[in-house]
Amino acid sequence: MRVLAFETSCDETAVALVQDGRWIESNLIASQVELHRPFGGIVPEAASRAHLTNMVPLLESTLEAVDRDGRPLDAVAVTYGPGLVGALLVGVNVAKAVAYARGLPLLGLNHLEGHVYANWLVPPGRDDQPEPRFPLVCLIVSGAHSDLVVMRDHGDYVRLGRTRDDAAGEAFDKVARMLGLGFPGGPAIQRVAEQGDPTRFHLPRAWLPGSYDFSFSGLKTAVGRLIEQLGPEPPVADVAASFQAAIVDVLAAKTAQAAREYGAAQVALAGGVAANVPLRRTVQDRVAGEVRLPPVALCTDNAAMIGAAAYYRLRAGAISDLTLDARPNLPIA
Ligand code: KG4
Ligand code: ZN
C-alpha cells in the first residue's frame, strides 16, 4: 500500500511517500529554521505563510515522481493535530485537495502517533528490520510534548504521564537561549555539552514520586539562577552538560521504571529530543530489555512517520472524510 503523507504541524513542511508503513520511497522536508532563528523561537504566523510557499514545490516533485513511475497511490495522510492551528491547516487543506482530486481515501493522523511510528520505518539502506513489539513503552519527547505512553497494539495508547509544565524540547530550547546558544536549542546544547563536565553542577531533578509525570520548569529556573551567580562569563559547556545530564536522568529513569511496571516487550523513543545521543545511550543503559531508536534524521518532524502511522490506521479501516479539521490540542490517548 502506497501512502502520500503530509506534515505541517510546526515549522517543517514535509511530504513523503511510504510503502506498507515501513519503506520510505521519498521524504522531502523544507525546514524553516533560518526563518525563525532571528526570533529565537517559532513565530506561528510566519510558519503558516512559509508552509504555503514551501508546500507547492515539494508536492509537485512528489506527484511528478508518482506519475512518472505509474504505480497508483492508495491513500493520502496528514497530521491534523496537535500543533499550531495555522500551520496544521495548510497540510490538512492540501491533503484534502489531493485526496478529492485523485479520488483517494483521506486519513487524519495524530502528530505524536506519527513520531512513535518513526520506529516502524526501515532505515534507508537496510533491507528489513523486525517491527517493534507490544506492549511497547514509548517516551515521546518533542518541542511541545513529553508523554510516557504504553502501547498495547496499533492504535491502543494509554498515557502514563505527561509534562506538568515545559516539554523536554522546550526546556532544551529555553536553556540554550539563556546560554546564548541559539535556536533550535537541543542540538546546540548537545554539541556544546560534549566538551563539558556533566558533574560540575548538580541541578535539581523533579522526580514527582508515584507519578509518571514530568516537570522541567524548576530545572530551567535553577539553570537561570546558576547562570546569574556565575557572572558574565559562565562555563557554558559545563552548564549545558549538567543541564542535559539532569533532564536525561529523569527521562531515562521514568522510562525504565514504566518498562518494568508494564512488562514492556520493548521500549521506543520518539520525537525531536529522541535525537539526543546521551538520552539514547542512557535509556539503553537503564532499560533491561530491547530499546528501539529511530534514526536521528527521522526523530524530528517529517512526513514519512505520518505515512507509516497511516498504513496501520488504514489496515484497521480508519478513514477520515473531507470534514477533517485541524485539532491544535489533540491528545495521543
Ligand atoms: O519533534 P520535533 O521536531 O518538533 C515538535 O513536534 O515539537 O522536536 C523539536 C524539538 C526542539 O525542541 C529541539 O530543540 C529538540 O526537539 N531537539 C533536540 C535534539 N534535536 C532536536 N533536543 C535535544 N537533543 C537533540 N539532539
Ligand atoms: Zn514533532
Side-chain angles (χ1 to χ4, degrees):
M1 214 177 277
R2 194 182 203 195
V3 174
L4 171 65
F6 298 97
E7 155 63 47
T8 63
S9 67
C10 193
D11 63 334
E12 333 275 358
T13 317
V15 183
L17 277 175
V18 179
Q19 184 71 39
D20 292 342
R22 307 209 63 209
W23 286 273
I24 301 172
E25 287 183 53
S26 155
N27 187 26
L28 303 180
I29 303 174
S31 164
Q32 301 178 10
V33 165
E34 295 311 321
L35 172 69
H36 300 289
R37 198 189 296 284
F39 305 98
I42 295 157
V43 184
E45 177 62 26
S48 326
R49 270 182 278 136
H51 281 309
L52 280 173
T53 43
N54 292 346
M55 176 57 79
V56 178
L58 300 192
L59 176 62
E60 277 177 352
S61 78
T62 305
L63 287 180
E64 267 167 30
V66 169
D67 293 337
R68 215 178 310 120
D69 72 25
R71 280 166 42 237
L73 285 173
D74 296 293
V76 177
V78 62
T79 304
Y80 75 111
L84 304 168
V85 67
L88 289 165
L89 281 169
V90 176
V92 167
N93 284 298
V94 169
K96 282 188 195 179
V98 176
Y100 181 73
R102 300 205 166 206
L104 294 168
L106 173 71
L107 283 93
L109 270 297
N110 184 307
H111 179 75
L112 302 174
E113 181 176 18
H115 274 306
V116 169
Y117 275 85
N119 287 286
W120 266 260
L121 291 166
V122 176
R126 294 268 287 273
D127 282 346
D128 202 355
Q129 172 172 287
E131 294 192 29
R133 291 200 315 275
F134 303 118
L136 184 68
V137 163
C138 309
L139 175 68
I140 310 170
V141 270
S142 72
H145 294 85
S146 303
D147 288 338
L148 195 52
V149 165
V150 60
M151 192 179 174
R152 297 198 188 278
D153 199 347
H154 294 290
D156 176 0
Y157 304 92
V158 175
R159 187 162 71 184
L160 308 175
R162 63 185 168 88
T163 182
R164 295 187 183 174
D165 38 61
D166 292 344
E170 192 179 356
F172 269 98
D173 293 338
K174 287 178 177 170
V175 167
R177 201 176 314 150
M178 291 178 199
L179 290 171
L181 296 174
F183 167 85
I189 294 226
Q190 182 183 310
R191 200 171 333 108
V192 171
E194 280 166 20
Q195 315 301 326
D197 173 5
T199 62
R200 169 124 180 233
F201 304 107
H202 186 80
L203 291 163
R205 277 91 162 137
W207 292 112
L208 308 178
S211 163
Y212 284 115
D213 282 354
F214 301 104
S215 167
F216 300 116
S217 76
L219 171 60
K220 176 192 65 188
T221 308
V223 174
R225 232 181 287 122
L226 176 65
I227 294 171
E228 248 175 57
Q229 285 163 8
L230 289 167
E233 280 183 35
V236 171
D238 291 344
V239 175
S242 303
F243 160 75
Q244 184 176 249
I247 203 161
V248 164
D249 190 12
V250 176
L251 291 171
K254 294 208 173 212
T255 305
Q257 194 186 332
R260 281 191 298 274
E261 184 176 340
Y262 289 86
Q266 291 184 331
V267 164
L269 296 191
V273 181
N276 186 266
V277 173
L279 176 64
R280 295 162 80 94
R281 220 183 292 127
T282 310
V283 170
Q284 281 180 307
D285 286 347
R286 297 209 192 154
V287 168
E290 202 181 332
V291 179
R292 304 291 299 233
L293 301 167
V296 167
L298 296 174
C299 287
T300 44
D301 291 350
N302 64 84
M305 67 189 197
I306 302 301
Y311 169 74
Y312 294 93
R313 286 272 168 192
L314 206 57
R315 267 195 352 189
I319 292 174
S320 317
D321 61 34
L322 293 178
T323 62
L324 182 72
D325 203 0
R327 292 269 311 275
N329 298 314
L330 185 69
I332 188 155

PDB file of all heavy atoms in Angstrom, residues 1 77 80 107-110 113-114 117 151 153-157 306-320 331-333:
ATOM      1  N   MET A   1       0.837  -1.192   0.000  1.00  0.00           N
ATOM      2  CA  MET A   1       0.000   0.000   0.000  1.00  0.00           C
ATOM      3  C   MET A   1       0.879   1.251   0.000  1.00  0.00           C
ATOM      4  O   MET A   1       1.826   1.337   0.781  1.00  0.00           O
ATOM      5  CB  MET A   1      -0.883  -0.025   1.245  1.00  0.00           C
ATOM      6  CG  MET A   1      -2.237   0.589   1.007  1.00  0.00           C
ATOM      7  SD  MET A   1      -3.253   0.449   2.476  1.00  0.00           S
ATOM      8  CE  MET A   1      -3.902  -1.193   2.349  1.00  0.00           C
ATOM      9  N   ALA A  77      -2.483  10.892   3.627  1.00  0.00           N
ATOM     10  CA  ALA A  77      -2.490  11.029   5.085  1.00  0.00           C
ATOM     11  C   ALA A  77      -1.937  12.392   5.477  1.00  0.00           C
ATOM     12  O   ALA A  77      -1.054  12.917   4.800  1.00  0.00           O
ATOM     13  CB  ALA A  77      -1.640   9.936   5.714  1.00  0.00           C
ATOM     14  N   TYR A  80      -3.294  16.175  11.609  1.00  0.00           N
ATOM     15  CA  TYR A  80      -4.338  17.186  11.871  1.00  0.00           C
ATOM     16  C   TYR A  80      -4.269  17.713  13.302  1.00  0.00           C
ATOM     17  O   TYR A  80      -5.083  18.536  13.702  1.00  0.00           O
ATOM     18  CB  TYR A  80      -5.738  16.649  11.506  1.00  0.00           C
ATOM     19  CG  TYR A  80      -6.342  15.651  12.454  1.00  0.00           C
ATOM     20  CD1 TYR A  80      -7.447  15.985  13.231  1.00  0.00           C
ATOM     21  CD2 TYR A  80      -5.828  14.367  12.569  1.00  0.00           C
ATOM     22  CE1 TYR A  80      -8.033  15.068  14.103  1.00  0.00           C
ATOM     23  CE2 TYR A  80      -6.395  13.449  13.439  1.00  0.00           C
ATOM     24  CZ  TYR A  80      -7.494  13.803  14.198  1.00  0.00           C
ATOM     25  OH  TYR A  80      -8.057  12.897  15.067  1.00  0.00           O
ATOM     26  N   LEU A 107      -6.782  10.274   5.400  1.00  0.00           N
ATOM     27  CA  LEU A 107      -6.629   9.914   6.817  1.00  0.00           C
ATOM     28  C   LEU A 107      -6.026  11.067   7.591  1.00  0.00           C
ATOM     29  O   LEU A 107      -4.991  11.614   7.179  1.00  0.00           O
ATOM     30  CB  LEU A 107      -5.686   8.716   6.988  1.00  0.00           C
ATOM     31  CG  LEU A 107      -6.264   7.362   6.665  1.00  0.00           C
ATOM     32  CD1 LEU A 107      -5.965   7.010   5.228  1.00  0.00           C
ATOM     33  CD2 LEU A 107      -5.671   6.328   7.585  1.00  0.00           C
ATOM     34  N   GLY A 108      -6.641  11.430   8.719  1.00  0.00           N
ATOM     35  CA  GLY A 108      -6.080  12.427   9.626  1.00  0.00           C
ATOM     36  C   GLY A 108      -5.290  11.703  10.700  1.00  0.00           C
ATOM     37  O   GLY A 108      -5.786  10.757  11.301  1.00  0.00           O
ATOM     38  N   LEU A 109      -4.053  12.108  10.897  1.00  0.00           N
ATOM     39  CA  LEU A 109      -3.179  11.413  11.856  1.00  0.00           C
ATOM     40  C   LEU A 109      -2.752  12.325  12.990  1.00  0.00           C
ATOM     41  O   LEU A 109      -2.586  13.526  12.796  1.00  0.00           O
ATOM     42  CB  LEU A 109      -1.902  10.951  11.136  1.00  0.00           C
ATOM     43  CG  LEU A 109      -1.886   9.568  10.489  1.00  0.00           C
ATOM     44  CD1 LEU A 109      -2.054   8.500  11.558  1.00  0.00           C
ATOM     45  CD2 LEU A 109      -2.923   9.424   9.423  1.00  0.00           C
ATOM     46  N   ASN A 110      -2.554  11.710  14.155  1.00  0.00           N
ATOM     47  CA  ASN A 110      -2.026  12.422  15.310  1.00  0.00           C
ATOM     48  C   ASN A 110      -0.498  12.547  15.153  1.00  0.00           C
ATOM     49  O   ASN A 110       0.193  11.550  14.925  1.00  0.00           O
ATOM     50  CB  ASN A 110      -2.382  11.621  16.573  1.00  0.00           C
ATOM     51  CG  ASN A 110      -1.952  12.323  17.841  1.00  0.00           C
ATOM     52  OD1 ASN A 110      -0.797  12.698  17.996  1.00  0.00           O
ATOM     53  ND2 ASN A 110      -2.882  12.481  18.758  1.00  0.00           N
ATOM     54  N   GLU A 113       1.477  10.254  17.442  1.00  0.00           N
ATOM     55  CA  GLU A 113       1.412   8.872  16.954  1.00  0.00           C
ATOM     56  C   GLU A 113       2.416   8.716  15.798  1.00  0.00           C
ATOM     57  O   GLU A 113       3.123   7.708  15.701  1.00  0.00           O
ATOM     58  CB  GLU A 113      -0.011   8.550  16.486  1.00  0.00           C
ATOM     59  CG  GLU A 113      -0.165   7.131  15.985  1.00  0.00           C
ATOM     60  CD  GLU A 113      -1.605   6.770  15.604  1.00  0.00           C
ATOM     61  OE1 GLU A 113      -2.440   7.684  15.397  1.00  0.00           O
ATOM     62  OE2 GLU A 113      -1.883   5.571  15.513  1.00  0.00           O
ATOM     63  N   GLY A 114       2.480   9.737  14.950  1.00  0.00           N
ATOM     64  CA  GLY A 114       3.463   9.722  13.863  1.00  0.00           C
ATOM     65  C   GLY A 114       4.881   9.558  14.413  1.00  0.00           C
ATOM     66  O   GLY A 114       5.633   8.699  13.945  1.00  0.00           O
ATOM     67  N   TYR A 117       5.614   6.080  15.242  1.00  0.00           N
ATOM     68  CA  TYR A 117       5.757   5.186  14.073  1.00  0.00           C
ATOM     69  C   TYR A 117       7.052   5.407  13.298  1.00  0.00           C
ATOM     70  O   TYR A 117       7.355   4.628  12.382  1.00  0.00           O
ATOM     71  CB  TYR A 117       4.520   5.272  13.173  1.00  0.00           C
ATOM     72  CG  TYR A 117       3.447   4.347  13.676  1.00  0.00           C
ATOM     73  CD1 TYR A 117       2.564   4.757  14.672  1.00  0.00           C
ATOM     74  CD2 TYR A 117       3.365   3.028  13.233  1.00  0.00           C
ATOM     75  CE1 TYR A 117       1.613   3.891  15.182  1.00  0.00           C
ATOM     76  CE2 TYR A 117       2.412   2.162  13.730  1.00  0.00           C
ATOM     77  CZ  TYR A 117       1.541   2.585  14.699  1.00  0.00           C
ATOM     78  OH  TYR A 117       0.611   1.718  15.207  1.00  0.00           O
ATOM     79  N   MET A 151       1.784   1.291  24.703  1.00  0.00           N
ATOM     80  CA  MET A 151       1.037   0.956  23.504  1.00  0.00           C
ATOM     81  C   MET A 151       0.888  -0.565  23.500  1.00  0.00           C
ATOM     82  O   MET A 151       1.896  -1.284  23.477  1.00  0.00           O
ATOM     83  CB  MET A 151       1.883   1.428  22.318  1.00  0.00           C
ATOM     84  CG  MET A 151       1.204   1.437  21.012  1.00  0.00           C
ATOM     85  SD  MET A 151       2.380   2.069  19.782  1.00  0.00           S
ATOM     86  CE  MET A 151       1.381   1.808  18.332  1.00  0.00           C
ATOM     87  N   ASP A 153      -1.209  -2.236  21.340  1.00  0.00           N
ATOM     88  CA  ASP A 153      -1.449  -2.700  19.972  1.00  0.00           C
ATOM     89  C   ASP A 153      -1.448  -1.447  19.092  1.00  0.00           C
ATOM     90  O   ASP A 153      -1.408  -0.334  19.616  1.00  0.00           O
ATOM     91  CB  ASP A 153      -2.809  -3.420  19.889  1.00  0.00           C
ATOM     92  CG  ASP A 153      -2.912  -4.323  18.659  1.00  0.00           C
ATOM     93  OD1 ASP A 153      -2.048  -4.211  17.752  1.00  0.00           O
ATOM     94  OD2 ASP A 153      -3.863  -5.129  18.597  1.00  0.00           O
ATOM     95  N   HIS A 154      -1.580  -1.630  17.777  1.00  0.00           N
ATOM     96  CA  HIS A 154      -1.714  -0.470  16.907  1.00  0.00           C
ATOM     97  C   HIS A 154      -2.944   0.326  17.343  1.00  0.00           C
ATOM     98  O   HIS A 154      -4.024  -0.259  17.545  1.00  0.00           O
ATOM     99  CB  HIS A 154      -1.860  -0.903  15.447  1.00  0.00           C
ATOM    100  CG  HIS A 154      -0.628  -1.563  14.915  1.00  0.00           C
ATOM    101  ND1 HIS A 154       0.538  -0.873  14.677  1.00  0.00           N
ATOM    102  CD2 HIS A 154      -0.379  -2.856  14.600  1.00  0.00           C
ATOM    103  CE1 HIS A 154       1.458  -1.707  14.228  1.00  0.00           C
ATOM    104  NE2 HIS A 154       0.932  -2.919  14.171  1.00  0.00           N
ATOM    105  N   GLY A 155      -2.786   1.619  17.517  1.00  0.00           N
ATOM    106  CA  GLY A 155      -3.924   2.476  17.854  1.00  0.00           C
ATOM    107  C   GLY A 155      -4.374   2.413  19.308  1.00  0.00           C
ATOM    108  O   GLY A 155      -5.310   3.105  19.693  1.00  0.00           O
ATOM    109  N   ASP A 156      -3.729   1.587  20.129  1.00  0.00           N
ATOM    110  CA  ASP A 156      -4.141   1.425  21.530  1.00  0.00           C
ATOM    111  C   ASP A 156      -3.080   2.056  22.442  1.00  0.00           C
ATOM    112  O   ASP A 156      -2.069   1.431  22.751  1.00  0.00           O
ATOM    113  CB  ASP A 156      -4.320  -0.077  21.817  1.00  0.00           C
ATOM    114  CG  ASP A 156      -4.643  -0.358  23.277  1.00  0.00           C
ATOM    115  OD1 ASP A 156      -4.734   0.583  24.093  1.00  0.00           O
ATOM    116  OD2 ASP A 156      -4.793  -1.556  23.608  1.00  0.00           O
ATOM    117  N   TYR A 157      -3.333   3.292  22.848  1.00  0.00           N
ATOM    118  CA  TYR A 157      -2.367   4.032  23.667  1.00  0.00           C
ATOM    119  C   TYR A 157      -2.962   4.342  25.031  1.00  0.00           C
ATOM    120  O   TYR A 157      -4.092   4.809  25.119  1.00  0.00           O
ATOM    121  CB  TYR A 157      -2.031   5.395  23.037  1.00  0.00           C
ATOM    122  CG  TYR A 157      -1.526   5.305  21.625  1.00  0.00           C
ATOM    123  CD1 TYR A 157      -2.404   5.385  20.548  1.00  0.00           C
ATOM    124  CD2 TYR A 157      -0.166   5.152  21.368  1.00  0.00           C
ATOM    125  CE1 TYR A 157      -1.943   5.306  19.253  1.00  0.00           C
ATOM    126  CE2 TYR A 157       0.297   5.068  20.072  1.00  0.00           C
ATOM    127  CZ  TYR A 157      -0.592   5.147  19.021  1.00  0.00           C
ATOM    128  OH  TYR A 157      -0.128   5.066  17.747  1.00  0.00           O
ATOM    129  N   ILE A 306       4.350   9.954   9.352  1.00  0.00           N
ATOM    130  CA  ILE A 306       2.894  10.069   9.221  1.00  0.00           C
ATOM    131  C   ILE A 306       2.395   8.998   8.231  1.00  0.00           C
ATOM    132  O   ILE A 306       1.363   8.356   8.449  1.00  0.00           O
ATOM    133  CB  ILE A 306       2.501  11.497   8.747  1.00  0.00           C
ATOM    134  CG1 ILE A 306       3.019  12.555   9.744  1.00  0.00           C
ATOM    135  CG2 ILE A 306       0.983  11.630   8.517  1.00  0.00           C
ATOM    136  CD1 ILE A 306       2.503  12.394  11.162  1.00  0.00           C
ATOM    137  N   GLY A 307       3.171   8.797   7.175  1.00  0.00           N
ATOM    138  CA  GLY A 307       2.827   7.755   6.197  1.00  0.00           C
ATOM    139  C   GLY A 307       2.883   6.369   6.821  1.00  0.00           C
ATOM    140  O   GLY A 307       2.080   5.487   6.480  1.00  0.00           O
ATOM    141  N   ALA A 308       3.803   6.161   7.758  1.00  0.00           N
ATOM    142  CA  ALA A 308       3.914   4.866   8.442  1.00  0.00           C
ATOM    143  C   ALA A 308       2.699   4.648   9.337  1.00  0.00           C
ATOM    144  O   ALA A 308       2.038   3.603   9.271  1.00  0.00           O
ATOM    145  CB  ALA A 308       5.207   4.819   9.262  1.00  0.00           C
ATOM    146  N   ALA A 309       2.383   5.643  10.160  1.00  0.00           N
ATOM    147  CA  ALA A 309       1.230   5.508  11.072  1.00  0.00           C
ATOM    148  C   ALA A 309      -0.058   5.297  10.279  1.00  0.00           C
ATOM    149  O   ALA A 309      -0.934   4.524  10.681  1.00  0.00           O
ATOM    150  CB  ALA A 309       1.125   6.750  11.952  1.00  0.00           C
ATOM    151  N   ALA A 310      -0.152   5.979   9.132  1.00  0.00           N
ATOM    152  CA  ALA A 310      -1.377   5.909   8.324  1.00  0.00           C
ATOM    153  C   ALA A 310      -1.641   4.486   7.830  1.00  0.00           C
ATOM    154  O   ALA A 310      -2.790   4.038   7.788  1.00  0.00           O
ATOM    155  CB  ALA A 310      -1.267   6.861   7.133  1.00  0.00           C
ATOM    156  N   TYR A 311      -0.589   3.774   7.475  1.00  0.00           N
ATOM    157  CA  TYR A 311      -0.750   2.423   6.938  1.00  0.00           C
ATOM    158  C   TYR A 311      -1.479   1.532   7.948  1.00  0.00           C
ATOM    159  O   TYR A 311      -2.403   0.785   7.600  1.00  0.00           O
ATOM    160  CB  TYR A 311       0.618   1.837   6.598  1.00  0.00           C
ATOM    161  CG  TYR A 311       0.591   0.367   6.277  1.00  0.00           C
ATOM    162  CD1 TYR A 311       0.091  -0.094   5.066  1.00  0.00           C
ATOM    163  CD2 TYR A 311       1.062  -0.571   7.201  1.00  0.00           C
ATOM    164  CE1 TYR A 311       0.059  -1.449   4.776  1.00  0.00           C
ATOM    165  CE2 TYR A 311       1.044  -1.927   6.929  1.00  0.00           C
ATOM    166  CZ  TYR A 311       0.537  -2.363   5.707  1.00  0.00           C
ATOM    167  OH  TYR A 311       0.504  -3.704   5.430  1.00  0.00           O
ATOM    168  N   TYR A 312      -1.074   1.626   9.237  1.00  0.00           N
ATOM    169  CA  TYR A 312      -1.680   0.757  10.250  1.00  0.00           C
ATOM    170  C   TYR A 312      -3.112   1.197  10.562  1.00  0.00           C
ATOM    171  O   TYR A 312      -3.968   0.381  10.875  1.00  0.00           O
ATOM    172  CB  TYR A 312      -0.783   0.702  11.495  1.00  0.00           C
ATOM    173  CG  TYR A 312       0.522   0.012  11.154  1.00  0.00           C
ATOM    174  CD1 TYR A 312       1.645   0.751  10.746  1.00  0.00           C
ATOM    175  CD2 TYR A 312       0.613  -1.372  11.153  1.00  0.00           C
ATOM    176  CE1 TYR A 312       2.826   0.121  10.384  1.00  0.00           C
ATOM    177  CE2 TYR A 312       1.792  -2.016  10.785  1.00  0.00           C
ATOM    178  CZ  TYR A 312       2.896  -1.271  10.397  1.00  0.00           C
ATOM    179  OH  TYR A 312       4.049  -1.900  10.015  1.00  0.00           O
ATOM    180  N   ARG A 313      -3.373   2.503  10.475  1.00  0.00           N
ATOM    181  CA  ARG A 313      -4.753   3.004  10.640  1.00  0.00           C
ATOM    182  C   ARG A 313      -5.632   2.504   9.489  1.00  0.00           C
ATOM    183  O   ARG A 313      -6.776   2.110   9.685  1.00  0.00           O
ATOM    184  CB  ARG A 313      -4.767   4.533  10.644  1.00  0.00           C
ATOM    185  CG  ARG A 313      -4.232   5.138  11.904  1.00  0.00           C
ATOM    186  CD  ARG A 313      -5.344   5.286  12.922  1.00  0.00           C
ATOM    187  NE  ARG A 313      -4.782   5.594  14.230  1.00  0.00           N
ATOM    188  CZ  ARG A 313      -5.479   5.556  15.355  1.00  0.00           C
ATOM    189  NH1 ARG A 313      -6.745   5.227  15.337  1.00  0.00           N
ATOM    190  NH2 ARG A 313      -4.906   5.839  16.502  1.00  0.00           N
ATOM    191  N   LEU A 314      -5.066   2.556   8.318  1.00  0.00           N
ATOM    192  CA  LEU A 314      -5.793   2.156   7.118  1.00  0.00           C
ATOM    193  C   LEU A 314      -6.148   0.677   7.178  1.00  0.00           C
ATOM    194  O   LEU A 314      -7.261   0.267   6.842  1.00  0.00           O
ATOM    195  CB  LEU A 314      -4.896   2.440   5.907  1.00  0.00           C
ATOM    196  CG  LEU A 314      -5.523   2.685   4.558  1.00  0.00           C
ATOM    197  CD1 LEU A 314      -6.501   3.837   4.604  1.00  0.00           C
ATOM    198  CD2 LEU A 314      -4.426   3.019   3.531  1.00  0.00           C
ATOM    199  N   ARG A 315      -5.181  -0.138   7.643  1.00  0.00           N
ATOM    200  CA  ARG A 315      -5.432  -1.582   7.786  1.00  0.00           C
ATOM    201  C   ARG A 315      -6.574  -1.841   8.748  1.00  0.00           C
ATOM    202  O   ARG A 315      -7.300  -2.816   8.622  1.00  0.00           O
ATOM    203  CB  ARG A 315      -4.162  -2.266   8.325  1.00  0.00           C
ATOM    204  CG  ARG A 315      -3.291  -2.796   7.239  1.00  0.00           C
ATOM    205  CD  ARG A 315      -2.231  -3.776   7.689  1.00  0.00           C
ATOM    206  NE  ARG A 315      -2.069  -3.960   9.117  1.00  0.00           N
ATOM    207  CZ  ARG A 315      -1.080  -4.654   9.678  1.00  0.00           C
ATOM    208  NH1 ARG A 315      -0.154  -5.201   8.919  1.00  0.00           N
ATOM    209  NH2 ARG A 315      -1.000  -4.794  10.973  1.00  0.00           N
ATOM    210  N   ALA A 316      -6.719  -0.933   9.754  1.00  0.00           N
ATOM    211  CA  ALA A 316      -7.803  -1.083  10.732  1.00  0.00           C
ATOM    212  C   ALA A 316      -9.101  -0.453  10.224  1.00  0.00           C
ATOM    213  O   ALA A 316     -10.103  -0.415  10.934  1.00  0.00           O
ATOM    214  CB  ALA A 316      -7.392  -0.464  12.060  1.00  0.00           C
ATOM    215  N   GLY A 317      -9.057   0.117   9.018  1.00  0.00           N
ATOM    216  CA  GLY A 317     -10.264   0.667   8.403  1.00  0.00           C
ATOM    217  C   GLY A 317     -10.636   2.068   8.860  1.00  0.00           C
ATOM    218  O   GLY A 317     -11.767   2.507   8.669  1.00  0.00           O
ATOM    219  N   ALA A 318      -9.695   2.759   9.492  1.00  0.00           N
ATOM    220  CA  ALA A 318      -9.997   4.112   9.999  1.00  0.00           C
ATOM    221  C   ALA A 318      -9.749   5.152   8.919  1.00  0.00           C
ATOM    222  O   ALA A 318      -8.605   5.449   8.580  1.00  0.00           O
ATOM    223  CB  ALA A 318      -9.135   4.411  11.212  1.00  0.00           C
ATOM    224  N   ILE A 319     -10.814   5.694   8.364  1.00  0.00           N
ATOM    225  CA  ILE A 319     -10.678   6.679   7.295  1.00  0.00           C
ATOM    226  C   ILE A 319     -11.411   7.959   7.688  1.00  0.00           C
ATOM    227  O   ILE A 319     -12.474   7.911   8.310  1.00  0.00           O
ATOM    228  CB  ILE A 319     -11.227   6.115   5.968  1.00  0.00           C
ATOM    229  CG1 ILE A 319     -10.314   4.968   5.493  1.00  0.00           C
ATOM    230  CG2 ILE A 319     -11.298   7.183   4.886  1.00  0.00           C
ATOM    231  CD1 ILE A 319     -10.842   4.260   4.280  1.00  0.00           C
ATOM    232  N   SER A 320     -10.817   9.109   7.351  1.00  0.00           N
ATOM    233  CA  SER A 320     -11.466  10.394   7.627  1.00  0.00           C
ATOM    234  C   SER A 320     -12.261  10.797   6.383  1.00  0.00           C
ATOM    235  O   SER A 320     -12.282  10.080   5.392  1.00  0.00           O
ATOM    236  CB  SER A 320     -10.410  11.463   7.917  1.00  0.00           C
ATOM    237  OG  SER A 320      -9.406  10.958   8.759  1.00  0.00           O
ATOM    238  N   PRO A 331      -4.956  15.145  21.898  1.00  0.00           N
ATOM    239  CA  PRO A 331      -4.082  14.317  22.751  1.00  0.00           C
ATOM    240  C   PRO A 331      -3.793  12.971  22.087  1.00  0.00           C
ATOM    241  O   PRO A 331      -4.498  12.586  21.154  1.00  0.00           O
ATOM    242  CB  PRO A 331      -4.922  14.115  24.018  1.00  0.00           C
ATOM    243  CG  PRO A 331      -6.337  14.202  23.547  1.00  0.00           C
ATOM    244  CD  PRO A 331      -6.368  15.042  22.286  1.00  0.00           C
ATOM    245  N   ILE A 332      -2.792  12.236  22.585  1.00  0.00           N
ATOM    246  CA  ILE A 332      -2.490  10.945  21.969  1.00  0.00           C
ATOM    247  C   ILE A 332      -3.426   9.867  22.500  1.00  0.00           C
ATOM    248  O   ILE A 332      -3.702   8.889  21.813  1.00  0.00           O
ATOM    249  CB  ILE A 332      -1.015  10.516  22.140  1.00  0.00           C
ATOM    250  CG1 ILE A 332      -0.748   9.263  21.308  1.00  0.00           C
ATOM    251  CG2 ILE A 332      -0.631  10.295  23.599  1.00  0.00           C
ATOM    252  CD1 ILE A 332       0.646   9.034  20.897  1.00  0.00           C
ATOM    253  N   ALA A 333      -3.909   9.996  23.717  1.00  0.00           N
ATOM    254  CA  ALA A 333      -4.781   8.932  24.245  1.00  0.00           C
ATOM    255  C   ALA A 333      -5.929   9.560  25.023  1.00  0.00           C
ATOM    256  O   ALA A 333      -5.800  10.629  25.556  1.00  0.00           O
ATOM    257  CB  ALA A 333      -3.996   8.021  25.165  1.00  0.00           C
TER     258      ALA A 333
END
